[in-house]
Amino acid sequence: VEQRTIGGLALSFAADQTFPPERRALKVALARQAAVALERTRLGAAERALRARLSFLGEATAILALSLDDERTLQRLAELAVPLLADWCAIDMRAADGRIDRLVVAHHDPERRDWAQELRRRSHGHVDDDSLVSRVIRTGETVFVPEPPAGAPAAGTSFAAEAAAPLAQAAAQGWISVPRAAAAYAVGAL
């Protein structure tokens, strides 16, 4: 496809065969047709994914423009992100004293929604902490952790000892935290 090899077509026969030019041309044409069909399928999937992302951006823009109630707006944004972008979403904000407040959480599993709310109540962080969210807010740079190290807590701010049980339920396989910027510095993280 487009002068690049994307795979191969293997044919086997029970008996010895001869392959005059017309039989070889037929097999090459069959392989090319298969390649075009596969590429068409890949392009269709890519187009659907792009449409989903554009739809998300359109809905997110509409949500952000609708209300002046920050917490309600952020909650709707988090709920839109779940499950399209992630299994759960937390939105944190830096307070003037450096404290990190978890403003909203959303989770795709109704049973874990209570867990996420409990985690929100127990989350206490500071911009100087060594956590993922603190680092993102401090540096203004996105942090992506595809595979958390063994024994690592769930993504987020630093947690009090009583948050251990809710954190154990997280079983996160990876996370990403992105800064919420205003002017020239990060004011929060998603």
Side-chain angles (χ1 to χ4, degrees), residues 107-172:
H107 200 289
H108 79 286
D109 181 345
E111 291 179 17
R112 297 259 177 134
R113 212 169 279 136
D114 291 339
W115 162 83
Q117 290 298 339
E118 178 71 13
L119 187 60
R120 176 185 178 200
R121 282 196 313 277
R122 295 180 184 207
S123 298
H124 305 288
H126 192 275
V127 73
D128 295 326
D129 290 345
D130 208 13
S131 71
L132 176 96
V133 169
S134 299
R135 184 170 25 146
V136 168
I137 292 172
R138 215 174 28 252
T139 66
E141 296 177 3
T142 297
V143 175
F144 176 56
V145 182
E147 294 181 31
T157 59
S158 296
F159 301 99
E162 66 268 14
L167 280 174
Q169 294 180 23

Side-chain angles (χ1 to χ4, degrees), residues 43-160:
L43 289 172
E47 178 187 10
R48 286 188 297 280
L50 179 59
R51 286 180 189 269
R53 286 193 301 272
L54 290 174
S55 175
F56 172 79
L57 289 174
E59 289 181 53
T61 299
I63 286 171
L64 293 171
L66 279 178
S67 174
L68 296 177
D69 178 356
D70 288 346
E71 190 166 336
R72 183 170 182 254
T73 299
L74 293 175
Q75 185 66 48
R76 290 182 65 203
L77 182 62
E79 290 169 358
L80 178 63
V82 173
L84 180 64
L85 300 179
D87 293 332
W88 79 292
C89 176
I91 299 178
D92 302 298
M93 180 72 88
R94 176 185 184 163
D97 64 359
R99 186 182 69 250
I100 297 174
D101 295 324
R102 177 142 295 160
L103 301 179
V104 299
V105 293
H107 200 289
H108 79 286
D109 181 345
E111 291 179 17
R112 297 259 177 134
R113 212 169 279 136
D114 291 339
W115 162 83
Q117 290 298 339
E118 178 71 13
L119 187 60
R120 176 185 178 200
R121 282 196 313 277
R122 295 180 184 207
S123 298
H124 305 288
H126 192 275
V127 73
D128 295 326
D129 290 345
D130 208 13
S131 71
L132 176 96
V133 169
S134 299
R135 184 170 25 146
V136 168
I137 292 172
R138 215 174 28 252
T139 66
E141 296 177 3
T142 297
V143 175
F144 176 56
V145 182
E147 294 181 31
T157 59
S158 296
F159 301 99

